[in-house]
């Protein structure tokens, strides 16, 4: 409120204050609610009433009746005011028609805190709008979707007020605005799809828009009229005034766009400002009170229709998400592989949200659909997600600000929504949304250079606004909706249940396998055991027969073969019994003194294979924890093989050494024998498997299977390195605790 000094010749009471301004197409008189005297008046009343406004200040209201003509000459303005006060509302008596200097005017009364506001404005419409407003409303409501509804509303408002451009402007959740519908004269550049930063419509302006549903700026070029008063105790509250002057910044904004008249209607949804119907005219154009009220009504109908339709569309989205979840659930039940179920059909995990791309990281494989970053980038992102969040669902619409490498692919993934399927295995699904700026529909040509307006002011123009907005939304995607997050949680639940179900199936299979395995062990044990008695008989009787002198040379040879066969069979049975024993017996953990054990075993092995020519080198042999009998079996087999498969070389040399590596003690048994062909690497430990190069050497193919079984029973590891005709090294790692 700026003060200025005035000539106070005819008034010695107080200086005049200017609490505000009104637009000059009408004039305002405020009446003190308690005294009924004129407390404020706009200076331009002079032009309408041909009377210095100062002369009316502090006069009783009925002085006004001198200047106006009413249909009923006995009805005064004061009567009208009283009528409104009795009814507790001025809506029913607005607008009140009257004449000033033979010109038709409307009087509209509203309330301000201590005063009544009486606003007089010219009447320009000569016909009644009632029926055309009804038609407009029903035409508008034929729009089925929200966007059709908005488009029709713009069309109807344009028809009603005849402005060059009618836009529907929607406030998004971060406060910025978007033109979501437009109806305009063909020659005009379209603004549809333009985004405006939140700063374009300041917060206090938005609050006013909620209280006062329409605003007309009849002509940006006329000077506003000042309101004068003798009072200074409080400024006049113009919230409910329709003549209220608007901020000079806003006027400049309109001028920069070449707009001469502007009209806006608030759209309120669930008590909040949803948006505005913003109307522009490129020449001055006043809108009659009734046409404004008609537009307001359309705005109100649109507001409630929006609430309803938006609700409908939201629940439609939820419905679609739910349907997708059901379909995916069916696919998971039907398909053998999870990845196929989620990505290979018509309905995929992409349909779970409104994302434009999705990646599934599962069982060490990456599967993507739609627009996604490079595979390497996705895997790096997955690693980062694993290390930086413990939540099962994580989302952001400004990824590159948190995770800098994402700057390189912000065009496809400024927003991510991820859900973890398994934390340990780092299995997850990540949905991607592109940078918002990429998705914006800029109806004009964004490359077109910005031309300064006449006064060189660039700071306020739609194009400039767009640029400002573009900076604000740089690096961000559209936000994730609550519905999308719920949908992801829903699908996560379904997938995890499915995984658990499959894991359960596998566990059951495992149990069956385990019992089959045990049965087999018992079977081999029994068979081997039971075979030993008849075998001993065969051997004993064959030996007895050999002692019988009447058997000739040929018969002896045959008996020799029977004895050799029985020995071989006996050995095989022993080996199988050993193997079965490992499966059946419990481990008896104790500290095993390896130095002694290896020495003992080697003596036996050397004598069994008559391996005097083979050299044995023993290194440091630290103690380990394990079952002594089983460990002895392991080294008997490993040393046995080392000797057996190197005796044919010139100077067989066998080395046993060990070292401690972290939590493990690793033993190595090295020989310089015939070696193993690498092609069979995976099969060496299989039962009965023997390599091609050992055909002439005796063996059963059971020894290493026993080694593997013992080592695994001890939670250890076994592996080997070998080169044909150079030698082999077998390693066994035992856990230290
Ligand atoms: P086998 O009774 O035949 O020795 P194993 O199970 O102990 O049975 O070994 C399986 C096969 O692995 C052997 O037949 C042999 O072909 C190969 N093999 C095991 N140890 C060695 C070794 N030290 N050098 C060369 N080949 C070996």
């Amino acid at each position: 409120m700026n003060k200025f000094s005035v000539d106070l010749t005819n008034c010695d009471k107080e200086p005049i204050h200017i609490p505000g301004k009104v637009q000059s197409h009408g004039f305002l008189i405020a009446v003190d609610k308690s005294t009924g005297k004129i407390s404020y008046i706009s200076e331009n009343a002079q032009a309408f009433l041909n009377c210095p406004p100062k002369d009316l200040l502090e006069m009783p209201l009925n002085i006004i009746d001198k200047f106006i003509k009413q249909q009923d000459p006995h009805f005064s303005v004061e009567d009208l005011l009283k009528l409104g006060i009795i009814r507790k509302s001025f809506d029913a008596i607005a607008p009140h028609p009257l004449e000033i200097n033979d010109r038709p005017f409307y009087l509209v009364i509203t309330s301000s805190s201590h005063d009544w506001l009486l606003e007089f404005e010219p009447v320009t419409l000569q016909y009644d709008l009632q029926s055309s407003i009804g038609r407009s409303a029903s035409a508008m409501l034929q729009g089925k979707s929200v966007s059709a509804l908005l488009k029709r509303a713009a069309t109807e408002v344009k028809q009603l007020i005849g402005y060059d451009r009618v836009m529907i402007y929607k406030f998004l959740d971060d406060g910025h605005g978007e033109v979501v519908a437009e109806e305009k004269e063909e020659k005009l550049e379209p603004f549809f799809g333009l985004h405006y930063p939140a700063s374009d419509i300041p917060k206090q302006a938005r609050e006013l828009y909620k209280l006062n549903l329409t605003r007309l700026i009849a002509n940006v070029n006329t000077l506003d009229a000042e309101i004068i008063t003798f009072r200074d105790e409080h400024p006049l509250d113009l919230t409910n005034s329709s003549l209220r002057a608007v901020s000079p910044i806003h006027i400049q904004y309109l001028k920069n766009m070449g707009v001469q008249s502007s009209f806006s209607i608030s759209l309120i949804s669930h008590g909040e400002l949803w948006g505005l119907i913003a109307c522009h005219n490129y020449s001055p154009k006043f809108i009659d009170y009734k046409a404004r009220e008609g537009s307001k009504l359309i705005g109100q109908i649109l507001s409630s229709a929006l609430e309803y339709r938006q609700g409908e569309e939201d629940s439609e989205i939820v419905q679609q998400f739910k349907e997708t979840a059901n379909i995916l659930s069916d696919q998971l039940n039907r398909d053998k592989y999870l990845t196929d179920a989620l990505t290979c059909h018509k309905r995929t995990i992409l349909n779970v949200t409104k994302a434009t791309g999705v990646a599934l990281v599962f069982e060490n494989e990456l599967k993507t659909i739609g627009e996604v970053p490079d595979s390497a980038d996705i895997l790096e992102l997955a690693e980062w997600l694993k290390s930086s969040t413990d939540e099962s669902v994580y989302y952001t619409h400004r990824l590159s600000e948190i995770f800098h490498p994402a700057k390189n692919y912000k065009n496809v993934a400024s927003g991510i929504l991820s859900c973890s399927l398994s934390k340990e295995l780092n299995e997850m699904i990540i949905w991607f949304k592109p940078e918002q700026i990429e998705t914006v529909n800029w109806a004009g040509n964004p490359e077109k250079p910005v031309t300064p307006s006449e006064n060189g002011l660039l700071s306020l123009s739609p194009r400039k606004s767009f640029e400002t907005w573009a900076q604000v939304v740089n690096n961000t995607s559209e936000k994730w909706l609550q519905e999308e997050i719920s949908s992801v949680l829903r699908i996560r639940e379904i997938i995890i249940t499915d995984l658990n179900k499959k894991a359960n199936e596998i566990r059951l299979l495992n149990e069956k396998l385990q019992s089959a395995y045990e049965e087999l062990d018992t079977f081999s044990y029994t068979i081997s055991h039971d075979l030993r008695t008849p075998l001993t008989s065969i051997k004993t009787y064959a030996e007895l027969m050999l002692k019988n002198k009447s058997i000739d040379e040929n018969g002896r040879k045959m008996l020799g073969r029977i004895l050799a066969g029985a020995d071989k069979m006996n050995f095989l049975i022993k080996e199988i019994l050993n193997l079965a024993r490992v499966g059946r017996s419990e481990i008896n953990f104790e500290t095993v003194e390896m130095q002694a054990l290896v020495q003992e075993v080697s003596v036996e092995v050397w004598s069994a294979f008559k391996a005097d020519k083979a050299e044995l080198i023993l290194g440091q042999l630290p103690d380990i924890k394990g079952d002594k009998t089983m460990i002895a079996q392991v080294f008997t087999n490993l040393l046995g093989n080392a000797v057996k498969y190197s005796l044919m070389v010139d100077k067989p040399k066998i080395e046993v050494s060990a070292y401690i590596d972290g939590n493990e003690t690793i033993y190595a048994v090295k020989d310089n024998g015939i070696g193993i062909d690498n092609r069979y690497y995976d099969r060496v430990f299989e039962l009965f498997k023997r390599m091609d190069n050992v055909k002439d050497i005796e063996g059963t193919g059971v020894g290493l299977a026993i080694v593997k079984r013992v080592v695994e029973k001890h939670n250890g590891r076994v592996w080997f390195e070998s080169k044909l005709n150079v030698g082999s090294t077998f390693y066994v790692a035992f856990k230290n605790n």
Side-chain angles (χ1 to χ4, degrees):
M1 300 312 132
N2 49 353
K3 281 186 177 184
F4 78 115
S5 53
V6 285
D7 178 7
L8 293 175
T9 43
N10 62 351
C11 175
D12 54 3
K13 283 189 200 157
E14 289 165 85
I16 291 181
H17 283 78
I18 302 167
K21 293 182 181 183
V22 291
Q23 296 179 55
S24 55
H25 59 268
F27 67 98
L28 172 141
I29 290 174
V31 178
D32 188 315
K33 283 184 181 173
S34 53
T35 64
K37 288 188 174 159
I38 295 176
S39 47
Y40 298 82
I41 186 162
S42 63
E43 273 202 316
N44 63 337
Q46 165 96 43
F48 296 94
L49 306 177
N50 296 327
C51 157
K54 258 186 286 179
D55 294 352
L56 301 177
L57 279 173
E58 300 304 332
M59 293 292 176
L61 176 61
N62 57 21
I63 194 167
I64 294 298
D65 294 316
K66 282 206 282 187
F67 302 95
I68 62 173
K69 197 168 109 195
Q70 303 219 36
Q71 271 174 352
D72 176 357
H74 304 296
F75 192 73
S76 69
V77 172
E78 204 169 348
D79 290 338
L80 184 71
L81 184 61
K82 280 184 185 152
L83 194 66
I85 294 171
I86 292 167
R87 290 187 177 184
K88 294 200 172 81
S89 161
F90 292 95
D91 288 348
I93 50 168
H96 180 72
L98 42 78
E99 275 182 24
I100 301 174
N101 287 331
D102 297 327
R103 278 175 59 202
F105 270 80
Y106 282 137
L107 166 57
V108 179
I109 306 178
T110 51
S111 171
S112 178
S113 46
H114 301 282
D115 307 271
W116 301 114
L117 302 181
L118 279 58
E119 294 181 279
F120 298 81
E121 62 170 78
V123 177
T124 55
L125 261 187
Q126 300 309 332
Y127 60 93
D128 194 9
L129 274 178
Q130 211 63 29
S131 58
S132 58
I133 290 167
R135 259 201 317 277
S136 289
S138 56
M140 175 180 82
L141 290 174
Q142 276 162 16
K144 288 278 174 286
S145 63
V146 168
S147 58
L149 189 68
L150 295 171
K151 174 75 180 164
R152 279 167 187 263
T155 313
E156 294 309 319
V157 170
K158 184 167 186 315
Q159 199 140 34
L160 205 61
I161 62 170
Y163 266 32
D164 295 328
R165 185 198 299 277
V166 174
M167 295 175 278
I168 299 191
Y169 184 93
K170 177 183 177 181
F171 293 115
L172 303 174
D173 49 7
D174 59 355
H176 92 263
E178 181 185 354
V179 179
V180 290
E182 183 180 44
E183 188 67 26
K184 60 170 190 66
E185 292 301 310
E186 215 164 300
K187 60 181 189 297
L188 296 174
E189 180 190 13
F191 287 169
F192 177 71
L194 271 180
H195 286 246
Y196 295 82
S199 57
D200 264 20
I201 300 182
K203 204 167 166 20
Q204 65 271 31
R206 280 182 209 199
E207 284 309 310
L208 276 179
Y209 286 166
K210 271 162 73 177
L211 296 171
N212 200 342
L213 299 182
T214 61
R215 273 148 323 279
L216 171 70
I217 302 168
N219 187 347
V220 295
N221 296 314
T222 53
L223 280 180
D224 294 327
E226 286 155 355
I227 298 171
I228 57 171
T229 182
F230 289 132
R231 308 175 171 215
D232 74 346
E233 66 267 32
H234 60 83
L236 186 60
D237 180 354
L238 292 177
T239 304
N240 294 329
S241 152
S242 58
L243 285 177
R244 184 173 55 85
V246 287
S247 117
I249 300 177
H250 187 58
I251 296 286
Q252 190 58 53
Y253 186 98
L254 294 172
K255 281 184 177 170
N256 289 351
M257 284 196 279
V259 171
Q260 306 238 15
S261 297
S262 146
F263 178 55
S264 66
I265 307 155
S266 309
L267 298 174
I268 313 277
S269 171
H270 299 290
E272 287 304 317
L273 190 64
W274 183 93
L276 296 173
I277 305 179
C279 317
H280 289 163
N281 206 54
Y282 293 84
S283 57
K285 186 160 186 163
F286 173 72
I287 305 171
D288 184 88
Y289 182 87
K290 288 205 167 161
R292 277 172 13 232
E293 285 297 290
S295 311
K296 184 163 116 185
L297 187 65
I298 289 191
Q300 283 166 330
I301 297 171
L302 176 62
S303 292
S304 50
L306 274 176
E307 271 182 19
Y308 179 70
R309 295 275 154 85
Q310 193 63 56
E312 249 183 3
E313 282 190 7
D314 287 351
S315 57
E316 220 165 86
I317 291 178
V318 173
Q319 212 38 51
Q320 267 175 24
F321 288 163
K322 279 191 179 156
E323 196 185 291
T324 302
N326 285 340
I327 294 175
L328 292 183
S329 171
D330 285 350
Q331 286 168 190
L332 280 167
N333 279 337
R334 248 183 295 126
D335 287 10
K336 190 168 169 202
Y337 299 108
L338 179 132
T339 309
D340 288 353
L342 298 180
T343 62
C344 290
H345 299 273
K346 208 168 142 225
R347 202 69 80 95
T348 68
I349 37 172
L350 186 59
N351 310 110
V352 168
T353 69
K354 286 163 76 180
T356 40
V358 65
L360 170 67
V361 187
F362 187 71
E363 290 183 336
N364 293 323
E365 276 185 25
L366 171 67
K367 181 87 195 233
T368 65
I369 310 171
E371 294 288 306
V372 294
D374 289 346
S375 300
D377 290 330
I378 297 177
L379 295 176
E380 185 194 26
L381 177 66
E383 272 305 313
W384 174 77
L385 280 167
K386 184 188 174 193
S387 61
S388 53
T389 168
D390 277 337
E391 306 296 327
S392 46
V393 168
Y394 172 85
Y395 58 93
T396 172
H397 69 292
R398 27 184 76 220
L399 178 65
S400 61
E401 283 174 20
I402 309 163
F403 178 59
H404 299 303
K407 269 223 153 58
N408 298 328
Y409 48 84
K410 62 177 187 163
N411 55 331
V412 288
S414 279
I416 58 158
L417 168 51
S418 75
C419 90
S420 148
L421 301 178
S422 155
K423 204 84 198 122
E424 296 77 46
L425 305 173
N426 205 21
E427 292 176 335
M428 60 178 80
I429 310 177
I430 315 173
W431 285 266
F432 301 98
K433 278 190 184 179
E435 193 179 24
Q436 218 174 152
I437 198 88
E438 296 275 317
T439 64
V440 165
N441 175 12
W442 161 261
N445 176 4
E447 307 304 334
K448 200 162 115 187
V450 183
T451 40
S453 53
E454 266 172 31
N455 55 11
L457 254 177
L458 265 181
S459 58
L460 290 164
S461 69
R463 203 177 283 280
K464 197 72 202 168
S465 286
F466 180 77
E467 281 166 17
T468 319
W469 175 80
Q471 271 158 18
V472 176
V473 297
N474 213 2
N475 303 332
T476 70
S477 75
E478 250 178 35
K479 278 193 179 169
W480 296 97
L481 304 174
Q482 203 45 52
E483 287 81 6
E484 293 179 291
I485 295 159
S486 310
S487 172
V488 163
L489 284 168
R490 191 179 304 124
I491 199 68
R492 179 176 184 270
E493 189 63 41
I494 291 174
I495 295 172
I496 301 236
T497 313
D498 183 73
L499 283 176
N500 285 343
K501 201 177 99 197
K502 285 188 176 138
N504 245 350
E505 281 164 11
I506 289 173
R507 198 170 52 84
L508 282 178
L509 277 178
N510 244 337
E511 277 169 11
K512 276 190 189 160
L513 197 67
Q514 184 72 24
S515 65
Y517 198 63
E518 277 161 15
E519 266 172 35
L520 198 66
D521 266 349
T522 316
F523 175 75
S524 10
Y525 188 82
T526 323
I527 289 279
S528 312
H529 199 265
D530 293 357
L531 280 178
R532 289 180 94 181
T533 322
L535 197 61
T536 314
S537 308
I538 294 171
K539 209 179 156 186
T540 319
Y541 285 111
E543 277 167 352
L544 274 178
M545 283 178 81
L546 260 183
K547 287 187 181 144
N548 189 337
K549 300 273 177 347
S550 63
I551 293 177
D552 65 3
E553 195 53 28
N554 211 13
R556 277 170 192 284
K557 256 190 199 161
M558 284 192 228
L559 282 170
R561 288 225 178 112
I562 290 173
L563 275 176
D567 278 344
K568 210 171 166 183
M569 203 160 158
N570 205 14
F571 184 67
L572 184 63
I573 287 170
K574 237 167 78 191
E575 289 261 84
I576 291 188
L577 270 174
N578 280 337
L579 181 72
R581 207 170 279 138
V582 177
R584 285 161 59 89
S585 41
E586 288 299 312
I587 298 185
N588 185 14
F589 270 104
E590 58 183 318
T591 303
V592 183
E593 287 175 22
M594 291 299 285
Q595 199 75 37
L597 183 137
V598 173
Q599 247 153 21
E600 228 169 84
V601 166
S602 57
V603 171
E604 274 173 33
V605 169
W606 257 252
S607 93
F609 287 99
K610 300 186 182 65
D612 296 345
K613 74 176 248 201
E615 185 189 354
L616 173 68
I617 303 168
L618 298 182
Q620 284 287 333
L621 305 177
D623 295 348
I624 57 167
K625 291 243 167 48
D627 186 299
K628 196 172 164 193
T629 321
M630 290 190 196
I631 304 287
Q633 179 85 61
V634 167
F635 282 87
T636 306
N637 292 0
L638 291 179
L639 282 167
N641 282 348
V643 170
K644 192 163 64 169
Y645 299 117
S646 58
L647 271 181
M648 63 296 292
V649 306
D650 207 9
K651 285 183 181 157
K653 188 165 99 181
I654 288 103
E655 286 175 68
V656 185
S657 59
Y659 61 95
I660 296 174
D661 183 19
N663 193 30
E664 288 180 325
T665 301
I666 299 169
Y667 267 81
V669 178
K670 182 176 177 188
D671 66 60
N672 58 347
I674 57 171
I676 301 169
D677 192 335
N678 266 343
R679 273 181 303 163
Y680 304 118
Y681 190 92
D682 290 335
R683 310 205 51 190
V684 172
F685 294 98
E686 278 175 24
L687 190 59
F688 303 130
K689 185 71 200 169
R690 308 198 70 226
M691 308 299 118
D692 296 339
N693 61 344
V694 299
K695 289 249 162 63
D696 302 332
I697 306 168
E698 291 237 341
T700 57
V702 180
L704 285 182
I706 296 178
V707 169
K708 188 164 191 273
R709 235 170 151 180
V710 170
V711 171
E712 283 176 354
K713 252 197 134 142
H714 280 75
N715 289 326
R717 302 181 292 135
V718 56
W719 71 100
F720 72 94
E721 286 163 4
S722 186
K723 208 165 180 187
L724 269 181
N725 303 321
V726 175
S728 317
T729 309
F730 279 81
Y731 297 92
V732 188
F734 296 96
K735 284 255 167 1
N736 290 338
N737 46 33

